[in-house]
């Protein structure tokens, strides 16, 4: 392997001159390592196939993009390491039809909470920085794009957008952007020790932490979803597994799961979210195990031109409950209900609840089941559910159906526009 070092190229040019770095990258071949200096480079770069661009740390080596295109374009096999990327317009880092690697990379746009409120519903790349990280057609299921210690913030549409790509992200964040923190459209995303917080809605209809759609497969460990102005995660027509999830303070539910083949939530803590902890709509298989869902706060939403108020731990609207399993779940202090289950057939199999505790306060409900036209007798839950507190008296006394949310409409799903 040949290693190009800018420190050794002073005689060929100023190591902090963008032209020197650009020329070194153009001359590099697959397997070469180009070491950038502790400099601020105001330029846009292309890292050739198989070449590593290594900085001196994300706070010391900065590539400040120019124009409305990508600040850094990575070709197949390229590696970006220990570099900070700043952009005022366009995109931070992009790759197409390539398996690339990013390690210890910080990507920053100019959008903050105050600025998010002034932008229109669909900001353009000539107006501001719209995308932090964009991967299209990247990686394979057995050889994904690798992201390690990547931190993305300050963009107007997507912190990170993955289209038909396979991505493994370990450590870092996609927080404090407008619209959507991370979206996976098709392909797969595995993530561990990742934070996705404070995604702003502004004048857009989104504000989601994570969105998966188009048949994508998402699997996370120790994911943190917090203070997003929409749902913490929205899974639409995708499958998802979340382990050891921590979701707090999300405005439109911690998790909104609709039209999915399978969904699993294990060892999760969902606290202080608005509207719902988990919304399940038309989920064929849905499992929630060994989790705590508490303190869900009531919020008002418009559904089919009607004002609806909800504050439920779990809300499930399913054709049949045969594929639903709640095991070892504790639901407490949820302001409207611990569990609201609506099925078309009015059947609640014994397998639905095992070791489930619902503890209500005040006039809140514990666990109710219903069809589209009537409440079901509280005894349908059988022995697998224990009511505590106010739920003991409130559930049998309930006489009216509980209003339900339904699926997020297509107009409120962010389009996968790379």
């Amino acid at each position: 392997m040949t290693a190009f070092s800018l420190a050794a190229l002073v005689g060929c040019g100023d190591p902090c001159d963008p032209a020197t770095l650009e020329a070194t990258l153009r001359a590099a071949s697959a397997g070469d390592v180009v070491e950038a200096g502790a400099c601020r480079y105001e330029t846009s770069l292309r890292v050739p196939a198989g070449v590593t661009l290594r900085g001196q740390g994300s706070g010391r080596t900065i590539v400040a993009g120019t124009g409305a295109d990508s600040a850094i374009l990575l070709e197949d096999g390229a590696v970006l390491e220990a570099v900070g990327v700043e952009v005022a317009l366009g995109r931070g880092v992009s790759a197409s039809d390539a398996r690339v690697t990013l390690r210890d990379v910080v990507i920053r746009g100019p959008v903050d909470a105050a600025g998010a409120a002034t932008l229109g519903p669909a900001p353009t790349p000539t107006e501001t920085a719209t995308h932090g990280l964009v991967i299209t057609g990247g990686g394979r299921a057995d050889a994904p794009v690798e992201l390690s210690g990547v931190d993305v913030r300050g963009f107007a549409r997507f912190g990170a957008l993955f289209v038909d790509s396979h991505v493994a992200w370990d450590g870092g964040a996609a927080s404090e952007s407008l619209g959507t923190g991370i979206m996976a459209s098709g392909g797969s995303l595995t993530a561990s020790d990742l934070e996705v917080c404070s995604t702003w809605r502004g004048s857009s209809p989104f504000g989601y932490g994570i969105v998966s759609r188009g048949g994508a497969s998402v699997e996370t460990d120790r994911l943190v979803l917090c203070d997003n102005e929409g749902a913490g995660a929205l899974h639409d027509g995708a499958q998802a597994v979340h382990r050891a999830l921590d979701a707090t303070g999300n405005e439109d539910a911690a998790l909104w799961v609709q039209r999915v083949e399978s969904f699993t939530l294990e060892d999760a803590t969902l606290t202080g979210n608005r509207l719902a902890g988990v919304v399940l709509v038309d989920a064929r298989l849905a499992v929630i195990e060994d989790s705590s869902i508490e303190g869900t706060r009531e919020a008002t939403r418009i559904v089919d031109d009607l004002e609806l108020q909800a504050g439920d731990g779990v809300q499930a609207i399913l054709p049949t409950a045969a594929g639903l399993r709640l095991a070892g779940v504790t639901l407490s202090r949820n302001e409207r209900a611990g569990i609201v289950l609506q099925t078309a057939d009015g059947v609640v199999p014994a397998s639905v609840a095992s070791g489930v505790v619902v503890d209500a306060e005040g006039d809140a409900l514990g666990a109710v089941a219903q069809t589209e036209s009537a409440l079901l007798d509280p005894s349908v839950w059988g022995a697998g559910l224990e009511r505590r507190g106010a739920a003991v008296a409130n559930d049998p006394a309930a006489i009216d159906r509980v209003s339900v949310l339904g699926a997020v409409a297509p107009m409120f799903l962010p389009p996968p526009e790379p």
Side-chain angles (χ1 to χ4, degrees):
M1 181 196 310
T2 302
F4 286 99
S5 172
L6 285 181
L9 294 176
V10 175
C12 300
D14 181 352
C16 286
D17 181 0
T20 304
L21 179 56
E22 293 164 13
T24 306
L25 285 169
R26 284 195 299 270
S29 301
D32 290 338
V33 176
V34 174
E35 294 185 4
C39 310
R40 181 180 179 86
Y41 301 96
E42 295 191 1
T43 184
S44 295
L45 299 174
R46 180 180 65 86
V47 182
V51 172
T52 295
L53 175 59
R54 179 180 296 152
Q56 306 302 309
S58 60
R60 301 183 67 209
T61 300
I62 308 293
V63 176
T66 57
D69 293 325
S70 298
I72 298 180
L73 177 64
L74 302 175
E75 295 189 347
D76 187 35
V79 177
L80 185 65
E81 185 175 320
V83 170
V85 181
E86 297 179 2
V87 289
L89 301 173
R91 305 175 181 180
V93 178
S94 297
S96 180
D97 298 320
R99 180 178 180 268
V100 298
T101 301
L102 285 77
R103 302 189 192 100
D104 301 322
V105 174
V106 170
I107 306 173
R108 291 288 183 267
V111 180
D112 57 16
T118 66
L119 292 168
T124 65
T126 56
E127 180 183 4
T128 188
T130 54
H131 298 61
L133 173 64
V134 180
I135 308 291
T136 58
R140 305 188 311 269
D142 61 343
V145 169
E146 296 183 5
L147 310 178
S148 177
V150 175
D151 189 306
V152 186
R153 302 172 195 259
F155 292 87
R157 298 193 69 174
F158 297 96
L161 174 61
F162 308 128
V163 179
D164 296 327
S165 297
H166 299 279
V167 177
W169 194 336
D170 180 18
S175 297
E176 298 173 5
S177 284
L178 173 65
T180 305
I182 300 172
M183 185 160 88
S185 178
S188 65
L189 170 64
T190 61
S192 58
D193 298 305
L194 187 65
E195 175 192 285
V196 186
C197 294
S198 300
T199 306
W200 306 301
R201 177 176 279 133
S203 60
S204 83
F206 310 131
Y208 302 118
I210 293 178
V211 174
S212 65
R213 57 182 309 192
S217 174
V218 173
E219 185 170 347
T220 74
D221 285 283
R222 299 175 302 281
L223 173 68
V224 175
L225 300 171
C226 63
D227 302 322
N228 296 291
E229 292 187 348
L234 169 61
H235 301 300
D236 176 66
Q239 63 181 18
V241 177
H242 295 291
R243 300 183 182 92
L245 172 71
D246 183 353
T248 59
N250 299 287
E251 290 293 308
D252 280 353
L255 299 167
W256 202 302
V257 183
Q258 59 187 42
R259 297 185 285 263
V260 303
E261 284 296 310
S262 66
F263 168 77
T264 300
L265 180 66
E266 299 176 352
D267 300 315
T269 302
L270 280 53
T271 306
N273 300 285
R274 284 191 182 273
L275 208 63
V278 181
V279 179
L280 299 170
V281 183
D282 294 337
R284 184 171 179 269
L285 297 173
V287 177
I288 302 176
E289 293 184 327
D290 302 325
S291 296
S292 170
I293 304 174
E294 61 182 45
T296 307
R297 298 168 293 160
E298 285 190 324
T300 301
R301 294 294 178 267
I302 303 299
V303 178
D304 295 331
D305 297 324
L306 298 175
E307 189 176 90
L308 183 153
Q309 190 168 38
D312 309 330
V314 174
Q315 186 178 126
I317 307 101
L318 309 171
T320 171
L324 176 63
R325 176 175 169 79
L326 308 175
V329 180
T330 300
L331 303 106
S332 62
R333 297 184 298 102
N334 298 293
E335 289 187 350
R336 190 180 74 155
I339 304 171
V340 176
L341 170 60
Q342 178 170 303
T343 66
D345 58 12
V347 176
V348 182
S351 59
V352 166
S354 173
V356 175
V357 175
V358 288
D359 191 344
E361 298 178 351
D363 60 359
L365 297 168
V368 296
Q370 62 189 28
T371 66
E372 292 183 357
S373 58
L375 280 172
L376 301 178
D377 189 292
S379 65
V380 299
W381 294 97
L385 183 144
E386 178 187 351
R387 292 178 171 88
R388 296 179 181 173
V392 176
N394 291 349
D395 290 6
I399 58 174
D400 294 325
R401 288 180 64 257
V402 178
S403 54
V404 293
L405 295 162
V408 175
M411 67 179 294
F412 298 110
L413 299 173
E417 297 177 352

